[in-house]
Amino acid sequence: MESTLICVLLLLNTYINSGHSEDDDALPTASVKIVNPQSLLYPGETVTLQCDISDYTDWTYRWFRDNHHLPSQTSKAIDITIPITQTGQAGQYRCEGLRTDRPQRSQPIVVVTISVTALPNSTLTVKPNPAFTGEKVTLKCSVTYDSSWNYQWYKDWNFNVVPQSVSHTITGDTLTISRAAESDQGQYWCEGNRVSRPTSSQPGDPVTLTVEGLPKATLTVEPNPVFPGETVTLTCSVESDSIWSYKWYKDRNDNVVSQSGRHTITGDTLTINGATVNEGPYWCQGERDSRPTSSSISDPVTITVNALPTALVKIVTPQGLLYPGETVTLRCDISDYTDWTYRWFRNNEEPPIQTRKTITISLPDQAGQYRCAGKRRDRPQKSCRSSALPIIITDYQPKTTLTSDKENIFTGDRVTLSCTVESPGWKFYWYRHRPDSTPVTTTSGYSYTLSWVSVSDGGQYWCRAGRGDPVYYTLYSDPVQINITDQPQPVLSISSQWLNPGDSVTLSCEVDKTSIVWRFSWYRTVPYRAGLPSLSDKSYSLQPLSDNVTSEDSYTQIPAGPTPTGGYVCRAGRGDPVYDTFYSEPQFLWSGDLQPSASLTVNPNTTQHFTSKSLSLICELKGNSTGWRLKRHTETARRSECPSTWRSITESTCTITSLTTWHSGVFWCESGSGENSNAVNITVNDGDVILESPVHPVTEGDSVTLTCTFRHQGTNPKLKTDFYKDGTLIKNETTGEMTIPIVSKSDEGFYKCKSDEGESPESWVTVRVSPVVSPGSSTSVLVLVVVGLLVAGVLLVILLVLLVRYQNRKGSCFNRIFWPPQPQRTNQDPQQDQGSTQGQAPDTVYTCLHGDTNIYDTINSSDNNDNDVAGASAAGPSHVTYAQIQLKKLDKKKKEKRNYPKENPVYSEVKTGKATAAAGRFDVTYAEVDLQKRAKAKKKRETATPPEPESVYSLVKPYTAPAAARPVDVTYAEVDLQKKNKAKKKRERATPPEADSVYSRLKPR
């Protein structure tokens, strides 16, 4: 074919040349020839074409395929690649040339047609197909072309080349799979390759290899699980219908089971005789001559040998210790399965006719060791024999022990009796008064509870226990005495029933039976309200205090603000559930201070009253509270309201028209919401003397007058009266009145009066600390200014005179005379001076200054009364004044600040009295004067804050005048200037120091 094509091309070229030879002006011709390859063309190869133009040079070439210009091809020779899928004609190619000189173009003369010859085919064969797992498979590839080829194998896709491996062997045109597996399934094809053209064949059509699994062997075991000694049958079968023989394996694949005494092989069956323990695993496999020659191995099967059910002997009744004379019931329990027939053994001997699950034996004759076993028709047909159960007898009769959970039992309480015995399973029998009587009750438990007991439930109790049928009894317990007393009522006490504002109060709750662990509840009384816990007489309801349950028998309440007056109650409880005592009788906390809600006033305004007199008590309301009522508390703890029998009730006023001693007590007002007024302690006396004292507390600095009043005041209005404080005589008066001009906290106490008419009851006088005066108070400032100026002026004059005289006369003894010289007097005590001879002038004194010695001096207060004074001793009363002035060095240490108002005023305390001597009487004056000195302030000085005081004490001592014709009035004044002591103690009043004393006799004008 190749030679034919060449001949055609040569003939065509000859024809063209001969047709134009005669025309010398014909265009040059262009012809196309195949340069390479010179033989047949195959898909995928590259062909080189060349354009030859006769004559001339400098040609530019143009190429055409099937008359379509190929602009990219301008060379003389071009390469054309044939597509791999191309067969038959691949197109006609021609060329022409162009140039700039003449001739400018050529003409095509030879056209080349390119024809493509198809590649040779490859053929694949597979044997066997389908194949079984494990079989050998052979794949063979052949190409129709006779030349020698090399082969390449593909699986599933073009790029998956099957390589040489252990399971895949490639030899020439053959691929061998040694043991087919499911993974070898798929599409296979092959392709030939060689060095000469064509270099490869076309891939053959794919062949699908199918790998089928071997038939499955199935192993069954009957029975499984098995019990020891049973026969086991193993059966092997293959799903294929062909005739199979079987091979057996145990424990591992290469351990073939052979015929033996324990193993019997018959066809598809393996029999195991007398299984004892777990065996296996076992496998089986089928074999035959035709394909497939074997089955797959079966799944392994393990033979499980279960233990036989176990029998167990138990004592049903009684439990615990066993005693002679009891009947014991035994039971044989076999785990799992039913329909057992039982066998019993005593001391390894099987007694006849004992086939039931339970048996009954009598003690002590049938004691011993007992076993049991079971048998049945179905599998398993027997059980294991039980362990031995020894029946042991205790050789004594047990005794019960009776106890009570409470020692002190009260009515309404509950008590639990407990009867214990050393072994279980008993019933308990309870006896009262006599142990041989009919039981009070019988209980299955060991306790017996008496609920809500009364006194009649007391007495002696016994118990005993019994069990079995017939009943076996224990001995009786020892008796327990149950004593039941009435429900207790605690006694509440208050640390102080009269308190100052802000003071704390301690409540104490006492129960008679102190050995019991009680918990205490605390309450405050409020007017009766339904729904709240209340006292039995419904006089009050009870409101719990905060943290009202305590384990201690005391409760301290620290009030904020005014004292919380009113009633308080306590109660004790114990146990769970709680047993409570009665509520205590209420105790009341009173305050004499006026309350913000209401105040109680009395008329007459005194705490003591005579019988048969009238008394009005008025509740003065200060707020919107309503429902006020007057309450009274007596020494006998009786409480009452103002009844109609008291003759008169008008709104908030209760009038008692005729008092009796029964009316004595503490009175207060109480609102419907529980608010309380101040309290007043009223004493009604049927004697002849009472002490009129303030009803309400008085404030420090006030003046207080106590009056001793007599029932028959008109007959003797002014009797000599003695006044007592806290049982000590403090003063006697002829006016029947005692006045405390400036009352202090130390004046607080019990007061009474006594005279020839009788003795009054005691009354308590309460003194409150004076409130701090505001710095802006104009009244306080005015008082400070006036008192300060007066006292400072007087003391300044005295101090200046004495200090000048002291400096001038220091270390010497001298006689200072302000008046003309008089007869000399001795330097003695003022009392001795008063007893000097009448003829001596009372205006002269000898003065000697020696350190701590006293200085006596004569001071003339006027230069114009010499004559009057000269005749005083003879003609009439003599007024003599002595002044003792002590100067002490001031200590540097700051003393304790007194409890004075912030303005630190100057206090002057003056006490007066009369004394009678042989010739007359004298007046005595005590004066205490405090001068305050400015202290250094460490902070910014506050307005109107005066300095620390420098105290000046003036003490006037009584003087006994000499026997004269007239009374003599004598006054002594002792003035102390002191600085603060180092110790921060409160200085007692009117106690002057002893050092540096100056005595001066002052002659009044």
Side-chain angles (χ1 to χ4, degrees):
M1 181 178 179
E2 183 178 351
S3 59
T4 304
L5 180 58
I6 295 174
C7 292
V8 172
L9 293 175
L10 292 175
L11 291 173
L12 180 59
N13 187 37
T14 303
Y15 170 76
I16 295 173
N17 292 331
S18 64
H20 295 276
S21 61
E22 295 180 356
D23 187 2
D24 294 334
D25 296 330
L27 292 174
T29 59
S31 61
V32 177
K33 67 178 181 179
I34 296 175
V35 178
N36 183 49
Q38 298 296 324
S39 60
L40 297 176
L41 299 178
Y42 297 98
E45 292 184 326
T46 299
V47 179
T48 301
L49 303 179
Q50 181 175 303
C51 183
D52 292 333
I53 301 176
S54 59
D55 304 326
Y56 308 105
T57 58
D58 301 328
W59 292 100
T60 299
Y61 300 91
R62 300 180 65 197
W63 289 87
F64 297 87
R65 178 176 178 245
D66 297 332
N67 294 323
H68 293 288
H69 177 238
L70 301 176
S72 61
Q73 303 293 343
T74 60
S75 299
K76 181 174 182 173
I78 64 173
D79 293 330
I80 303 298
T81 300
I82 301 172
I84 192 67
T85 58
Q86 182 71 50
T87 58
Q89 290 189 353
Q92 289 185 340
Y93 289 84
R94 65 180 177 85
C95 67
E96 64 178 23
L98 298 176
R99 60 194 300 272
T100 55
D101 297 334
R102 293 183 62 252
Q104 294 181 342
R105 59 188 298 273
S106 69
Q107 61 178 347
I109 186 96
V110 178
V111 177
V112 174
T113 300
I114 296 177
S115 296
V116 180
T117 301
L119 293 173
N121 291 324
S122 60
T123 302
L124 176 63
T125 58
V126 179
K127 291 182 180 180
N129 192 18
F132 290 100
T133 302
E135 286 187 323
K136 179 180 178 182
V137 179
T138 301
L139 295 84
K140 189 170 184 180
C141 187
S142 62
V143 180
T144 56
Y145 219 87
D146 294 337
S147 301
S148 298
W149 294 88
N150 295 321
Y151 295 94
Q152 196 162 13
W153 305 86
Y154 299 91
K155 181 176 182 291
D156 295 332
W157 63 85
N158 293 338
F159 303 104
N160 186 21
V161 177
V162 179
Q164 185 95 359
S165 64
V166 175
S167 59
H168 298 81
T169 303
I170 300 174
T171 304
D173 59 353
T174 302
L175 168 64
T176 302
I177 301 174
S178 57
R179 294 184 60 86
E182 290 186 5
S183 60
D184 292 322
Q185 290 188 130
Q187 287 188 335
Y188 289 83
W189 63 92
C190 64
E191 182 182 52
N193 296 290
R194 66 178 183 176
V195 178
S196 59
R197 298 178 60 250
T199 58
S200 66
S201 68
Q202 289 187 6
D205 294 332
V207 176
T208 299
L209 172 62
T210 302
V211 180
E212 296 179 354
L214 292 174
K216 180 75 172 177
T218 303
L219 177 60
T220 58
V221 180
E222 286 292 338
N224 194 24
V226 298
F227 294 96
E230 290 186 326
T231 299
V232 183
T233 300
L234 292 80
T235 302
C236 187
S237 62
V238 179
E239 58 191 18
S240 175
D241 296 335
S242 300
I243 297 175
W244 297 85
S245 60
Y246 297 94
K247 186 179 289 188
W248 302 88
Y249 304 91
K250 181 178 182 292
D251 296 333
R252 59 183 185 271
N253 292 340
D254 57 351
N255 185 24
V256 178
V257 179
S258 60
Q259 191 90 0
S260 67
R262 291 189 67 242
H263 298 89
T264 302
I265 300 173
T266 304
D268 60 352
T269 302
L270 170 63
T271 302
I272 303 173
N273 300 311
T276 56
V277 294
N278 292 345
E279 296 193 26
Y282 285 87
W283 295 268
C284 70
Q285 185 180 26
E287 294 179 336
R288 68 177 183 180
D289 295 332
S290 59
R291 293 182 60 246
T293 57
S294 66
S295 69
S296 63
I297 296 178
S298 68
D299 294 331
V301 174
T302 298
I303 298 174
T304 302
V305 180
N306 289 343
L308 291 173
T310 301
L312 177 65
V313 177
K314 292 183 178 179
I315 297 177
V316 180
T317 58
Q319 299 293 324
L321 299 178
L322 303 177
Y323 304 96
E326 285 194 297
T327 299
V328 180
T329 300
L330 303 179
R331 185 178 66 205
C332 184
D333 289 337
I334 302 177
S335 59
D336 303 326
Y337 310 107
T338 58
D339 302 330
W340 293 99
T341 299
Y342 296 90
R343 301 172 62 194
W344 287 91
F345 305 88
R346 176 173 173 259
N347 297 331
N348 292 326
E349 294 182 0
E350 186 175 4
I353 321 173
Q354 292 286 4
T355 60
R356 302 184 61 183
K357 184 180 180 70
T358 60
I359 62 172
T360 302
I361 61 174
S362 298
L363 300 181
D365 298 338
Q366 295 179 325
Q369 290 191 339
Y370 282 81
R371 299 172 184 265
C372 72
K375 61 181 180 179
R376 61 195 296 267
R377 294 182 179 181
D378 297 333
R379 298 180 56 247
Q381 295 181 342
K382 64 179 181 179
S383 72
C384 292
R385 186 178 294 188
S386 70
S387 300
L389 175 67
I391 303 300
I392 302 175
I393 302 173
T394 303
D395 59 354
Y396 61 86
Q397 186 177 5
K399 182 179 180 180
T400 55
T401 301
L402 180 61
T403 57
S404 171
D405 67 335
K406 293 184 178 70
E407 294 181 1
N408 299 291
I409 307 166
F410 307 105
T411 56
D413 201 355
R414 57 183 293 167
V415 59
T416 298
L417 302 177
S418 298
C419 188
T420 57
V421 68
E422 58 189 350
S423 56
W426 302 90
K427 284 186 178 181
F428 294 88
Y429 302 84
W430 305 89
Y431 304 88
R432 183 181 173 206
H433 300 316
R434 292 177 54 189
D436 57 352
S437 61
T438 302
V440 175
T441 186
T442 302
T443 62
S444 59
Y446 65 90
S447 63
Y448 170 47
T449 300
L450 299 169
S451 300
W452 201 255
V453 297
S454 61
V455 175
S456 61
D457 292 321
Q460 283 190 326
Y461 285 80
W462 288 263
C463 75
R464 69 172 176 170
R467 66 184 182 185
D469 186 14
V471 179
Y472 174 81
Y473 290 101
T474 66
L475 296 175
Y476 287 98
S477 69
D478 294 330
V480 169
Q481 179 69 36
I482 300 298
N483 297 318
I484 300 175
T485 57
D486 290 331
Q487 184 176 4
Q489 182 178 26
V491 176
L492 177 65
S493 60
I494 300 181
S495 57
S496 177
Q497 289 188 294
W498 294 88
L499 294 180
N500 295 327
D503 286 350
S504 62
V505 59
T506 299
L507 311 178
S508 297
C509 193
E510 181 181 357
V511 186
D512 292 338
K513 305 298 180 181
T514 56
S515 61
I516 301 175
V517 178
W518 296 96
R519 292 184 62 82
F520 297 88
S521 301
W522 309 90
Y523 305 87
R524 185 175 180 184
T525 60
V526 296
Y528 176 75
R529 302 173 195 167
L532 290 179
S534 304
L535 299 180
S536 58
D537 59 359
K538 296 185 179 180
S539 58
Y540 286 102
S541 290
L542 304 177
Q543 183 176 3
L545 299 177
S546 60
D547 301 329
N548 76 309
V549 179
T550 64
S551 58
E552 301 295 332
D553 59 357
S554 63
Y555 180 92
T556 300
Q557 183 175 5
I558 303 176
T563 302
T565 57
Y568 292 86
V569 171
C570 73
R571 182 169 70 171
R574 69 175 185 185
D576 185 16
V578 178
Y579 171 80
D580 290 313
T581 66
F582 289 116
Y583 291 108
S584 70
E585 288 293 330
Q587 293 295 323
F588 290 85
L589 180 64
W590 297 302
S591 173
D593 295 286
L594 300 181
Q595 302 298 309
S597 55
S599 62
L600 173 63
T601 58
V602 297
N603 188 19
N605 186 22
T606 182
T607 58
Q608 296 185 15
H609 302 269
F610 288 116
T611 56
S612 303
K613 298 296 183 180
S614 174
L615 173 65
S616 294
L617 300 105
I618 303 100
C619 289
E620 297 182 0
L621 307 183
K622 298 183 180 180
N624 296 326
S625 301
T626 58
W628 286 92
R629 53 187 177 177
L630 184 69
K631 305 290 288 187
R632 183 186 66 146
H633 185 85
T634 66
E635 291 183 359
T636 59
R638 295 186 60 183
R639 302 179 305 279
S640 60
E641 301 181 17
C642 183
S644 58
T645 55
W646 289 9
R647 302 293 186 272
S648 175
I649 303 175
T650 304
E651 295 181 352
S652 58
T653 300
C654 178
T655 301
I656 306 172
T657 56
S658 180
L659 290 169
T660 65
T661 55
W662 179 83
H663 292 109
S664 296
V666 179
F667 292 80
W668 72 95
C669 299
E670 183 182 278
S671 74
S673 59
E675 297 171 300
N676 295 285
S677 71
N678 60 294
V680 175
N681 192 1
I682 299 297
T683 301
V684 180
N685 186 19
D686 57 358
D688 293 331
V689 181
I690 61 173
L691 178 66
E692 295 183 2
S693 61
V695 173
H696 304 296
V698 295
T699 305
E700 275 189 326
D702 291 349
S703 176
V704 177
T705 299
L706 305 178
T707 303
C708 199
T709 305
F710 310 101
R711 185 181 292 272
H712 308 293
Q713 190 79 20
T715 60
N716 191 3
K718 293 185 178 181
L719 293 176
K720 180 182 177 182
T721 304
D722 296 330
F723 289 88
Y724 295 82
K725 176 179 180 291
D726 298 328
T728 302
L729 176 65
I730 58 172
K731 201 168 188 181
N732 46 28
E733 294 284 354
T734 59
T735 61
E737 292 182 352
M738 185 187 78
T739 299
I740 305 175
I742 302 176
V743 71
S744 65
K745 190 67 177 178
S746 62
D747 295 319
E748 188 174 76
F750 285 101
Y751 288 83
K752 69 178 180 179
C753 66
K754 186 177 181 181
S755 70
D756 294 339
E757 292 289 322
E759 182 178 335
S760 73
E762 285 188 328
S763 286
W764 176 267
V765 175
T766 302
V767 179
R768 294 284 182 257
V769 177
S770 59
V772 177
V773 182
S774 171
S777 173
S778 60
T779 303
S780 300
V781 174
L782 180 60
V783 171
L784 284 175
V785 172
V786 174
V787 175
L789 291 176
L790 290 176
V791 175
V794 173
L795 293 179
L796 184 59
V797 173
I798 296 173
L799 291 175
L800 289 176
V801 172
L802 294 178
L803 289 174
V804 170
R805 291 176 59 84
Y806 178 74
Q807 292 294 334
N808 293 334
R809 302 298 182 183
K810 185 176 182 181
S812 62
C813 188
F814 60 92
N815 181 13
R816 179 76 173 176
I817 302 175
F818 288 148
W819 291 355
Q822 300 290 332
Q824 183 176 339
R825 299 182 61 187
T826 59
N827 185 10
Q828 298 177 346
D829 184 84
Q831 296 288 344
Q832 296 173 352
D833 276 346
Q834 294 175 26
S836 59
T837 306
Q838 181 178 355
Q840 292 175 331
D843 305 317
T844 303
V845 67
Y846 289 94
T847 303
C848 183
L849 298 177
H850 293 289
D852 294 340
T853 58
N854 294 333
I855 301 173
Y856 295 89
D857 202 354
T858 301
I859 301 174
N860 186 5
S861 58
S862 175
D863 294 334
N864 300 323
N865 57 357
D866 296 343
N867 296 329
D868 295 336
V869 176
S873 60
S878 176
H879 298 278
V880 181
T881 300
Y882 282 91
Q884 178 183 351
I885 301 175
Q886 293 183 355
L887 305 178
K888 294 193 78 173
K889 293 182 179 181
L890 300 179
D891 194 82
K892 294 182 179 181
K893 186 171 182 180
K894 183 179 180 181
K895 76 169 188 178
E896 181 180 3
K897 186 176 180 180
R898 290 195 176 188
N899 190 19
Y900 291 150
K902 292 183 178 179
E903 291 74 10
N904 292 318
V906 176
Y907 286 83
S908 178
E909 179 180 356
V910 180
K911 299 181 181 180
T912 61
K914 295 290 186 178
T916 305
R921 43 187 288 183
F922 61 87
D923 296 330
V924 180
T925 301
Y926 291 90
E928 176 186 344
V929 181
D930 291 342
L931 295 182
Q932 296 185 0
K933 189 174 180 180
R934 186 178 305 275
K936 293 182 179 181
K938 294 183 179 181
K939 297 188 295 183
K940 183 178 179 180
R941 186 174 60 189
E942 298 180 359
T943 305
T945 301
E948 293 282 344
E950 287 294 344
S951 300
V952 177
Y953 288 89
S954 179
L955 175 61
V956 180
K957 301 181 179 178
Y959 172 79
T960 304
R966 296 185 181 180
V968 179
D969 295 329
V970 181
T971 300
Y972 282 91
E974 178 183 343
V975 180
D976 293 341
L977 299 180
Q978 296 189 52
K979 216 171 184 180
K980 301 173 185 178
N981 296 325
K982 294 182 179 180
K984 295 185 178 181
K985 296 182 180 179
K986 184 175 181 181
R987 189 181 351 175
E988 297 180 358
R989 293 185 175 181
T991 305
E994 297 178 358
D996 295 329
S997 299
V998 177
Y999 289 89
S1000 296
R1001 180 179 179 187
L1002 307 179
K1003 181 177 181 181
R1005 184 182 299 271

